[in-house]
Amino acid sequence: FSSRRRHTRLLTVTGVQTCALPISQYGNWNPRFEAPYWLMHGEWKKNGNVWIYQYNGIVQTMDFSQIRSICRLGYDTSNEKTPPEQSKEAYRLAAEKGFTIVLCDLCFTKDHVPVCFHDEYINRIARDQSGQELEEEIRISDLTYEDTIQYDFGIYKGKSYEGTHLLKLEEMLELAQQLNLELYIEIKAGSKEEIKQAVELTKQYDLKLSWAGTKYDECSAVVEADDTARVSTMPRMIRDSEIEELLSLKRENNKVFFFTYDTVMLTDEVLSKLKKEGIPFEMGTIDSEIEIVNYLTENYQYCTGIESNKIVAANIDLDQVLQD
């Protein structure tokens, strides 16, 4: 899960799709087991790969293959048996597991080299040349890229990953192009000029890209450098001011959306405003199939993507989820 605390909340959504398709399979929740309210009392019907959910007069179609699945930092990197986060091996494994979109973080070294790294400090995963944890806290922004070479960013996951270096954004772009992956870039830190330079770098590659920033100025820098960029803000709250701010990033040929780690902010009132303005949102980090199904059941017509460490939405077997 993300370091941000995420709260789960069921939402009542109006305006859902209706559908009249011939039904091939039926499924009811077994009341002997505890489950979310919607799952216990609703009914699922299936037509090919499309599921139809019915409850209390509400009918909603769901096609999991239409949900963008974004792999966070490489495949299941919190697992001790998988490659280190934001390493080439981790992203290759994500592609092998069926992800077509991967997320990397963006920050900058002291000499302005854009690198893929999550934290302000390197201590959580970096080790010294003998493989030991670092005694002093070291900021990535206090190191030149050449300085980072003296640290090992892979041995914390095992001897087989010894010698893993900090991944440059340029290397990430090359890898994404080789693997035919869409790239999601989350801006962790950087000045306006550094971010613009990173955007210019991405233009050298034939890639689909999305940008996400926690600060408006970060997103603004992206749009100033590329007015076709798909870009999102990551607000802690979604009020009228945040909606207006996001819409101010809209240009003739780009797309804007919200990315959030907290469902509490997605009230019925907020969802209604997003629908009115045509603003989709994407959500993370969710690593439970039942939780993804639960979430999409309530928010399907608004949500365009789910970030996960290991679950591809298109691969969810709803038959099995209901049985489990």
Side-chain angles (χ1 to χ4, degrees), residues 83-151:
E85 65 181 61
Q86 303 202 69
S87 65
K88 290 182 178 181
E89 294 85 354
Y91 289 119
R92 287 193 183 100
L93 183 58
E96 290 174 11
K97 294 294 185 177
F99 281 97
T100 58
I101 310 171
V102 296
L103 180 145
C104 71
D105 293 318
L106 175 66
C107 58
F108 297 84
T109 59
K110 186 178 181 179
D111 52 342
H112 313 295
V113 176
V115 292
C116 302
F117 197 70
H118 182 275
D119 302 343
E120 179 181 0
Y121 296 88
I122 69 171
N123 298 65
R124 180 172 57 87
I125 66 173
R127 301 293 182 263
D128 64 22
Q129 292 181 346
S130 61
Q132 301 301 308
E133 294 188 15
L134 309 180
E135 295 182 2
E136 298 181 5
E137 288 191 330
I138 302 173
R139 284 187 174 88
I140 186 67
S141 59
D142 289 336
L143 300 172
T144 66
Y145 184 77
E146 193 65 29
D147 291 336
T148 70
I149 302 300
Q150 66 183 295
Y151 301 105

Side-chain angles (χ1 to χ4, degrees), residues 76-222:
D76 198 16
T77 56
S78 61
N79 187 323
E80 62 180 16
K81 297 181 180 179
T82 56
E85 65 181 61
Q86 303 202 69
S87 65
K88 290 182 178 181
E89 294 85 354
Y91 289 119
R92 287 193 183 100
L93 183 58
E96 290 174 11
K97 294 294 185 177
F99 281 97
T100 58
I101 310 171
V102 296
L103 180 145
C104 71
D105 293 318
L106 175 66
C107 58
F108 297 84
T109 59
K110 186 178 181 179
D111 52 342
H112 313 295
V113 176
V115 292
C116 302
F117 197 70
H118 182 275
D119 302 343
E120 179 181 0
Y121 296 88
I122 69 171
N123 298 65
R124 180 172 57 87
I125 66 173
R127 301 293 182 263
D128 64 22
Q129 292 181 346
S130 61
Q132 301 301 308
E133 294 188 15
L134 309 180
E135 295 182 2
E136 298 181 5
E137 288 191 330
I138 302 173
R139 284 187 174 88
I140 186 67
S141 59
D142 289 336
L143 300 172
T144 66
Y145 184 77
E146 193 65 29
D147 291 336
T148 70
I149 302 300
Q150 66 183 295
Y151 301 105
D152 194 310
F153 292 87
I155 199 170
Y156 79 100
K157 292 297 289 282
K159 194 73 174 175
S160 59
Y161 300 109
E162 182 178 5
T164 300
H165 67 264
L166 197 61
L167 197 63
K168 292 181 181 180
L169 177 61
E170 183 176 7
E171 294 174 300
M172 182 71 246
L173 294 167
E174 291 173 354
L175 181 67
Q177 187 165 275
Q178 291 170 8
L179 298 176
N180 195 28
L181 295 172
E182 181 176 340
L183 189 58
Y184 217 101
I185 302 175
E186 183 175 333
I187 303 168
K188 291 294 185 183
S191 69
K192 200 166 186 177
E193 285 307 311
E194 286 176 326
I195 293 169
K196 286 183 177 181
Q197 290 172 12
V199 175
E200 290 299 329
L201 177 63
T202 66
K203 292 180 181 179
Q204 300 176 26
Y205 297 84
D206 183 21
L207 290 173
K208 290 183 179 179
L209 287 171
S210 294
W211 296 83
T214 54
K215 300 175 183 177
Y216 175 79
D217 287 348
E218 295 170 343
C219 298
S220 178
V222 172

Side-chain angles (χ1 to χ4, degrees), residues 139-324:
R139 284 187 174 88
I140 186 67
S141 59
D142 289 336
L143 300 172
T144 66
Y145 184 77
E146 193 65 29
D147 291 336
T148 70
I149 302 300
Q150 66 183 295
Y151 301 105
D152 194 310
F153 292 87
I155 199 170
Y156 79 100
K157 292 297 289 282
K159 194 73 174 175
S160 59
Y161 300 109
E162 182 178 5
T164 300
H165 67 264
L166 197 61
L167 197 63
K168 292 181 181 180
L169 177 61
E170 183 176 7
E171 294 174 300
M172 182 71 246
L173 294 167
E174 291 173 354
L175 181 67
Q177 187 165 275
Q178 291 170 8
L179 298 176
N180 195 28
L181 295 172
E182 181 176 340
L183 189 58
Y184 217 101
I185 302 175
E186 183 175 333
I187 303 168
K188 291 294 185 183
S191 69
K192 200 166 186 177
E193 285 307 311
E194 286 176 326
I195 293 169
K196 286 183 177 181
Q197 290 172 12
V199 175
E200 290 299 329
L201 177 63
T202 66
K203 292 180 181 179
Q204 300 176 26
Y205 297 84
D206 183 21
L207 290 173
K208 290 183 179 179
L209 287 171
S210 294
W211 296 83
T214 54
K215 300 175 183 177
Y216 175 79
D217 287 348
E218 295 170 343
C219 298
S220 178
V222 172
V223 174
E224 285 181 26
D226 183 0
D227 62 6
T228 67
R230 183 176 188 268
V231 62
S232 76
T233 56
M234 302 170 64
R236 295 185 179 276
M237 297 181 66
I238 299 180
R239 299 163 296 195
D240 288 348
S241 56
E242 280 75 26
I243 293 175
E244 290 172 5
E245 197 173 64
L246 180 68
L247 289 174
S248 73
L249 297 169
K250 187 73 180 73
R251 300 293 184 268
E252 184 178 354
N253 295 312
N254 76 342
K255 294 181 180 180
V256 297
F257 65 104
F258 280 122
F259 188 92
T260 176
Y261 286 99
D262 193 340
T263 60
V264 168
M265 68 178 72
L266 300 173
T267 64
D268 293 349
E269 181 182 4
V270 167
L271 290 170
S272 179
K273 289 179 179 179
L274 296 186
K275 184 178 182 181
K276 180 181 178 181
E277 297 291 349
I279 301 173
F281 66 79
E282 301 187 345
M283 180 73 198
T285 306
I286 310 180
D287 287 334
S288 160
E289 288 193 348
I290 185 63
E291 196 172 348
I292 290 176
V293 172
N294 184 9
Y295 180 72
L296 293 181
T297 301
E298 298 297 331
N299 301 295
Y300 179 77
Q301 70 271 42
Y302 299 95
C303 183
T304 56
I306 296 288
E307 180 195 76
S308 180
N309 287 297
K310 57 185 178 181
I311 298 173
V312 177
N315 294 342
I316 292 176
D317 184 345
L318 192 51
D319 286 302
Q320 191 61 52
V321 170
L322 294 172
Q323 288 177 31
D324 292 343

Side-chain angles (χ1 to χ4, degrees), residues 14-64:
T14 58
V16 292
Q17 276 184 294
T18 58
C19 183
L21 293 173
I23 304 303
S24 60
Q25 296 185 32
Y26 293 79
N28 288 308
W29 180 254
N30 189 331
R32 291 184 301 139
F33 302 100
E34 274 190 38
Y37 186 85
W38 63 266
L39 189 53
M40 290 176 65
H41 296 277
E43 182 182 53
W44 290 96
K45 299 180 180 181
K46 187 179 182 184
N47 182 280
N49 292 324
V50 178
W51 286 88
I52 301 100
Y53 169 69
Q54 299 182 349
Y55 173 66
N56 199 26
I58 293 174
V59 181
Q60 180 172 330
T61 63
M62 294 180 66
D63 182 352
F64 290 108

